[in-house]
Amino acid sequence: MNIKQLEAFVRIVKNKSFSQTAKELYLTQPTVSSYISSLEEDLGVQLFNRTTKEVHTTNEGEQIYLYAKDIVNLSNKIRNAFKDEEKEEVNEIIISASSIPAQYLLPGILANFSKRYPNTEFRIHETDSKGAVTDVAEHRADLAFSGSIVPMSNCNFLPFYEDELILVTPNTEFYQNKQKEGDLSFLRNADFVMRENGSGTKKEAVNLLTQMGLKPEELKVVARFANTGAILLSVKEGIGVAIVSRLAARNAIKNQELLDFPLQKDGYFRKIYLVSNNHYPMSNRVKLFMQMMQNHVEKQKIL
């Protein structure tokens, strides 16, 4: 593995094209293909899925890209350390996000930012809250969006959104009656469908159930999923009940596919956080993104 291979790899990810990358690097396309083949052989994974029209990164390629981009950027900084000419502005922002903000909050946020700074290129890595914070702590992402605070050195957590967690159940006569009664006592004997261990939603759900007198070891968990959509579908099919974000469940509730139960009298809310690393230098574009989010927090008074 060498820097030329990594540089070619990073450019192909951005361009989705071997030929365009070859032009930018002043190389022949066979040379670029050889770089990638050698890199894949060294790493023991396939980095791209190739079609007649485009090149798409594999899951392994997406993970490696986060590291490769850092290595290439550091290499460029070393090369330019003693040059006086103006440095090229970095317009790419890498964001690692847990599923709820990635699917339901980020699209609107990115759209607003892109209207102000239309040349920005975003790369989004969807994971769980622990994975998102770890990506920022280990410099694999510029910023992260997390559904919980995961203590990591050098990480700052800016709360910017209050997300209500609710209980969802199948829309059956039994749960319809429980909803009318406002009775949650059935939870002691309920089958639960939950997120995986690194999930912020799962962490908050366990904390809440513990407050309600249900110890984690007493819960009957029948299934765990990494995807909230799969959880909602499982509940709809009657596999069990689940604690989820109202953002994720609102359409299913509106269509009467699921029933919703508030978890406390005035609702149970958790904060969604924007995570940054105060020991990692930010590009000007990332600083602008941070400023937009801080302005939003000040206007909404979410602290």
Side-chain angles (χ1 to χ4, degrees):
M1 184 192 316
N2 60 51
I3 194 65
K4 292 184 180 296
Q5 293 170 342
L6 293 176
E7 185 175 11
F9 168 64
V10 168
R11 285 182 180 258
I12 292 169
V13 173
K14 291 181 179 180
N15 296 331
K16 293 184 171 59
S17 167
F18 276 68
S19 59
Q20 179 61 31
T21 297
K23 290 179 182 178
E24 291 179 0
L25 295 177
Y26 302 99
L27 299 170
T28 64
Q29 188 167 331
T31 299
V32 172
S33 296
S34 176
Y35 282 168
I36 299 305
S37 295
S38 297
L39 185 58
E40 289 178 326
E41 184 176 345
D42 288 343
L43 296 173
V45 297
Q46 182 178 340
L47 299 174
F48 297 107
N49 290 317
R50 300 167 177 82
T51 67
T52 54
K53 293 183 178 180
E54 276 192 341
V55 176
H56 299 282
T57 318
T58 63
N59 289 335
E60 293 81 3
E62 283 291 333
Q63 294 175 26
I64 291 168
Y65 174 78
L66 295 171
Y67 295 103
K69 179 177 178 293
D70 265 356
I71 294 172
V72 171
N73 284 343
L74 286 172
S75 174
N76 289 336
K77 286 179 180 179
I78 292 171
R79 291 172 183 169
N80 295 327
F82 303 104
K83 292 183 179 180
D84 294 329
E85 61 263 30
E86 184 179 351
K87 310 298 187 299
E88 182 180 354
E89 183 180 1
V90 177
N91 293 335
E92 182 183 60
I93 301 177
I94 299 178
I95 297 175
S96 190
S98 59
S99 60
I100 296 302
Q103 295 174 27
Y104 303 100
L105 296 175
L106 263 181
I109 293 171
L110 302 189
N112 286 336
F113 188 82
S114 294
K115 288 177 183 177
R116 303 182 194 182
Y117 307 98
N119 295 323
T120 307
E121 179 182 349
F122 293 99
R123 293 196 62 81
I124 311 300
H125 175 222
E126 185 176 337
T127 179
D128 56 30
S129 290
K130 183 177 180 181
V133 177
T134 301
D135 281 345
V136 168
E138 298 182 358
H139 305 168
R140 294 193 298 271
D142 297 309
L143 301 168
F145 287 84
S146 169
S148 65
I149 292 179
V150 182
M152 295 269 182
S153 61
N154 305 327
C155 284
N156 294 325
F157 292 81
L158 174 70
F160 79 96
Y161 184 83
E162 288 191 332
D163 179 35
E164 183 183 8
L165 295 184
I166 58 173
L167 177 77
V168 291
T169 71
N171 189 356
T172 63
E173 184 177 356
F174 172 81
Y175 290 112
Q176 289 168 6
N177 291 332
K178 294 298 182 183
Q179 189 182 55
K180 291 175 184 177
E181 298 166 2
D183 179 19
L184 292 177
S185 62
F186 64 87
L187 288 179
R188 189 163 295 278
N189 299 310
D191 293 338
F192 280 89
V193 182
M194 284 196 167
R195 287 286 306 276
E196 75 287 358
N197 287 332
S199 162
T201 302
K202 188 257 184 181
K203 178 182 176 181
E204 291 291 339
V206 170
N207 288 341
L208 177 59
L209 291 169
T210 301
Q211 293 174 28
M212 297 168 68
L214 294 171
K215 298 179 182 178
E217 60 269 20
E218 296 175 342
L219 300 177
K220 185 181 177 183
V221 180
V222 296
R224 296 184 188 274
F225 292 95
N227 183 279
T228 304
I231 289 178
L232 296 174
L233 182 59
S234 297
V235 174
K236 178 183 173 183
E237 295 298 325
I239 293 176
V241 304
I243 293 176
V244 299
S245 165
R246 185 176 288 280
L247 280 172
R250 58 188 175 187
N251 287 336
I253 294 168
K254 181 180 179 181
N255 296 334
Q256 299 184 340
E257 297 170 341
L258 298 173
L259 298 178
D260 64 307
F261 292 72
L263 292 166
Q264 290 181 349
K265 183 179 178 181
D266 297 320
Y268 181 85
F269 294 85
R270 56 92 180 256
K271 290 181 172 64
I272 303 292
Y273 299 90
L274 172 63
V275 188
S276 59
N277 189 324
N278 58 7
H279 281 203
Y280 189 60
M282 293 183 181
S283 68
N284 289 333
R285 197 57 57 105
V286 174
K287 290 178 182 177
L288 291 170
F289 188 92
M290 282 290 297
Q291 186 61 56
M292 184 188 78
M293 296 303 299
Q294 287 167 344
N295 291 341
H296 167 80
V297 169
E298 290 173 5
K299 290 179 182 178
Q300 299 294 321
K301 296 183 179 179
I302 301 172
L303 298 170

